[in-house]
Amino acid sequence: MSTAGFNSQNGTGTGQTYANGPSQNPVTLQQPPGVGYGMNHQPAYNPMQAKAPAPPGPGLYPSGPFQPVPPVGSYQPSPELSSYPSALGQPLLSRPLVGGHPSYTPPLSASPGPRLPPAQATPPPPAVTSASYYPNPPQLMAPAWHYNAAATSMGPASSMSTPPRGPVANHVNPTVSLAAPSPPPHMSYSTAQPSGPGVPPTSIHGYTQPDTGPPPMNPLASNTYQPNRPPYGAPPTGPPPTMKSTPPPTGPPVTSGTPPPPKADGDVAGNGPQAPNSYNHVDNRMAGPTQPGPPGRHLGHYPSLPPGYQNTPTPPAPSSFHPAIQAATQPFIQGAQPYQQPPGGPGPAQLSPSLAAMSLQSNTPEALRVVNLLQERNLLPPNPVPAPTPCLTQDLQKLNCSPEVFRCTLTSIPQTQSLLNKAKLPLGLLLHPFKDLSQLPVVTSSTIVRCRSCRTYINPFVSFLDQRRWKCNLCYRVNDVPEEFMYNPVSRSYGEPHKRPEVQNATIEFIAPSEYMLRPPQPAVYLFVLDVSHNAVETGYLTVFCQLLLDNINALPGDSRTKVGFITFDSTIHFYNLQEGLSQPQMLIVSDIEDIFLPTPDSLLVNLNESKELVQDLLKSLPNLFEKTMETQSALGSALQAAFKLLSPSGGRMSVFQTQLPNLGVGALQSREDPNQRASAKDVQHLSPATDFYKKLALDCSGQQVAVDLFLLSAQYCDLASLGCISRYSAGSVYYYPSYHHQHNPAQVEHFQKDLKRYLTRKIGFEAVMRIRCTKGLSIHTFHGNFFVRSTDLLSLPNVNPDAGFAVQMSIEENLDDMQIVSFQAALLYTSSKGERRIRVHTMCLPVVNSLSDVFAGADVQAITGLLACMAVDRSVTASLSDARDAMTNAAIDSLSSYRQSALTIQQPGLLAPACLRLFPLYVLALLKQKAFRTGTSTRLDDRVFAMYQLKYQPLTFALLMIHPALYRVDDLNDEGALNINDQTIPQPRVLQLSVEKLSREGAFLMDAGIVMYLWIGRNCQPSFLSQVLGVPNYAAVPEKLHLLPELDTAESQRTRAFIGWLRDQRPFFPSLHIIRDESQLKPHFMQNMIEDRTESALSYYEFLLHVQQQISK
Ligand SMILES: [Zn+2]
């Protein structure tokens, strides 16, 4: 057995990225000798040779001359500097407090964090065990790791007392729904609504960010909510008809008259005190012993292209296909169509989901169209791939959660675990729970209606037995409808509980009553921890940071209670007394970094409004303060400890800016990377942290409601694998700017500026927890993202930000025999920056199916790929990179093999896939070539680790662009099919395959890789594009480093900038743009994303398909 996988082909030389043989494509033909790249178009293909046994060594591929890859930023050792300026022109206090540490008395309680009221039938969260720890518990690392998610140790979310389960009623009991008048198709609530008590209409902050969020692709419901309208309030204070006299019976969450006990369950179980050493109970080892991977699958030596397998348009499908399908060149566009309820068909009330599914699938849906991957080359739809539509009745689908927020890898849930095992596809959810939304209904109510048994929030997929009782769609308990719920704030009428906004919207936000908090909600607290060593000053980041914060100081989310503070550090820790009344900021230096203490604890975190001038003074003087520093040492660990002490009493956000490897005091690290081994190493070492210092500190932070965001700006190795733990376990974010320099790398500077502006001004939630519930029978067992799993299913998020994504894996614990639909609910409880306790609830409903074909038909290949990437990151760390690579390859092999054996009715030759999975092998190959997982190419360790972080916490849409970038030709943009947004015409060029064959030396091509974009200019690019868009007379005049398109007053320039701007507007971060010529240093980065082409160390797409086919036919 071997785990060699593709590694057997690794080149031995460093930096030899592209060593391809002669190429026939028009681009490379015109290459000067020695600059070859691209696919090897060997015409001699014999399918019989595809089973050549030996995996090719490097010598087997005809390696022509190659272009060496210059490292983007080589690691430069810092000059050894030791002296420190004795005085910085500020009042210094080298040891202000000699006697011991100031002791803290937390203001209200030693246990910060609001909590929920008790959940009646929910047991207290079990003690944190290794099984609930992140990453994967060991038992999930069995060789068949991605399918055998037994999850035995995790248990169900709660051992709820479940009433007998009956068949699932339709979403509204027919007797009720028929009796009740239907809501008008489009309700408009532009008229003034009653406001919730104590919530002024203008206090709704941050829910609409039209300048940052993309346009709503999928409105939440047919109801039109006004973004800035006040939340739905309590019933009007005027006397309502007859019911007012009845005191509203409080629902389970309120338990009126009974004060919640100190230990709360429900959503915030354990949001109170954290056992100080709770992490001691868990397995701190990031990397378990390397386990044997699945049986290695060797790659044969395949010819690169068969005759006739050219990049021509889709060949006509075999005549056995439906005529309409043969004509389909845009299958994914059509993919969703067969799932729509046919107009005029039976209404949802008369047709259960499964019946509807059956009738709709009687003729093969597009998702199950058989595709021979070896024949059909042009698989990419012309526009970005949309999410598949679940096979639900229109009525349910209309109410369902937006796929931008909530997505499942299988939009049809298998009835049993054995059926899931057969499909060999991972089951899991991908979430973007705090996404900026342009429409978000907000409800203020003293009674938040939840299931008495499992604490599920009432949602569109519950059933009403009558007007007074509703049945939970997760545990099937029948609950009473509280009196207050009888009033509908939308229609301002009584007796319509099923028309309440909670039952009409799959995404909704509640303003929580006081029962949901233990202490007053914390204020917004921001602490900035800044590296001011020589290295930091050299990069010039401090100036940019201070200026941006000055510019945005009034845009920080918060209110009159907002607090800020600053700590700077090199070999010592510097505090800043910003107490109101001082004439200037006071700098306090603590040099005893081994035993850190706070010199003046009460004046370091100050009210922003009261001390704004002092803060501004400090920001203006900071860059100069350290201008001439020669201090090279970095005591980051001590600075973090100091910052933790400062934030502990209140909780808040810690923003850390670091530019080098910390090399002094606690948490000091050593370089673990040997640049010479990067490309040749068979496996990658040091993906796990070198010390548990940062993880332990992060868990301490998490317990005190502190999240740590890390900005790493460095040209050198910084051991992100170790440093990143500080953010990973405290629910922070990691930002990484390799080779940041204020003069040498303007693109990075712009990138940093845009990111930082977004970071400072975006919405933020404090002291948050998220719980994901699912219908009884399903079980959630592994979480991906940045957080700490506090109990089995409760994620602790000291901060939550709108750009964070999460993923979870699921298994089917009990057969879902009686069920036609299942539901998933994510509830995020947080404190807004304005001090409101809020709960955002998303509910998704999916059909249950009992045939393998239906499972395949519902496969969401993008969600599967996103989840697979998360699993592979864990696997790389806990086992090895080669294990992870093997497992990803096997995922493609096994699912297509299962499809062939069990779901395909008519056997035919070729590598067959259902249309909905036809991109799966391509995406898997893309993952294998992604920076996080690739081998044989010089990839800096920090770059790799950062890519892994991104795959884990980026929302799916953006992670997919990292995995499989979008390529467009942009020198011939026209208005055909263009969008018109705000009177601006946005061209929509078609997405091209990632192959150099698609490039043309006469053209210009934009590659959108999510966080970065490349505009590649062909050597013979049309002069009109050069002059009209780039503003240069000829190709030679294109500057070597260009990252901005000039704003020219030409139609071509406007089109190009509109298109790039439109792409950028759809993501919350700012992708930097690199305009590159053919001989640019960055060209290898562009070319490495040509996933379909062979490289020295990796197969072409066609070779990969042959490998998959060979393994399937074994
Ligand atoms: Zn329930």
Side-chain angles (χ1 to χ4, degrees), residues 358-370:
M358 283 166 58
S359 73
L360 293 173
Q361 289 181 359
S362 55
N363 48 357
T364 307
E366 162 62 19
L368 282 181
R369 177 173 65 89
V370 182

Side-chain angles (χ1 to χ4, degrees), residues 175-399:
T175 56
V176 173
S177 63
L178 293 176
S182 299
H186 291 283
M187 290 186 281
S188 173
Y189 307 125
S190 53
T191 53
Q193 298 289 323
S195 291
V199 183
T202 53
S203 72
I204 311 302
H205 53 278
Y207 294 104
T208 56
Q209 302 198 8
D211 54 335
T212 53
M217 302 290 291
N218 188 358
L220 298 169
S222 59
N223 301 345
T224 305
Y225 289 97
Q226 304 303 313
N228 289 318
R229 66 173 301 285
Y232 300 118
T237 50
T242 65
M243 294 188 178
K244 180 65 179 176
S245 57
T246 313
T250 49
V254 178
T255 58
S256 62
T258 310
K263 280 293 237 179
D265 285 323
D267 266 348
V268 232
N271 201 13
Q274 275 283 294
N277 291 320
S278 59
Y279 49 80
N280 290 339
H281 302 295
V282 302
D283 185 359
N284 279 325
R285 288 168 304 155
M286 281 288 293
T290 301
Q291 301 186 12
R297 281 170 156 143
H298 296 278
L299 299 183
H301 180 199
Y302 305 114
S304 78
L305 268 186
Y309 183 76
Q310 303 298 335
N311 283 307
T312 51
T314 310
S319 57
S320 63
F321 290 152
H322 189 278
I325 291 170
Q326 293 183 25
T329 53
Q330 305 176 6
F332 258 81
I333 299 304
Q334 301 180 348
Q337 297 307 319
Y339 290 87
Q340 300 295 331
Q341 182 91 8
Q350 290 89 40
L351 189 62
S352 74
S354 66
L355 283 179
M358 283 166 58
S359 73
L360 293 173
Q361 289 181 359
S362 55
N363 48 357
T364 307
E366 162 62 19
L368 282 181
R369 177 173 65 89
V370 182
V371 176
N372 184 350
L373 296 174
L374 291 170
Q375 281 180 2
E376 212 169 306
R377 180 72 198 278
N378 287 322
L379 296 173
L380 286 179
N383 299 111
V385 181
T389 309
C391 186
L392 293 165
T393 61
Q394 272 187 342
D395 200 40
L396 286 176
Q397 187 51 37
K398 196 173 68 183
L399 292 168

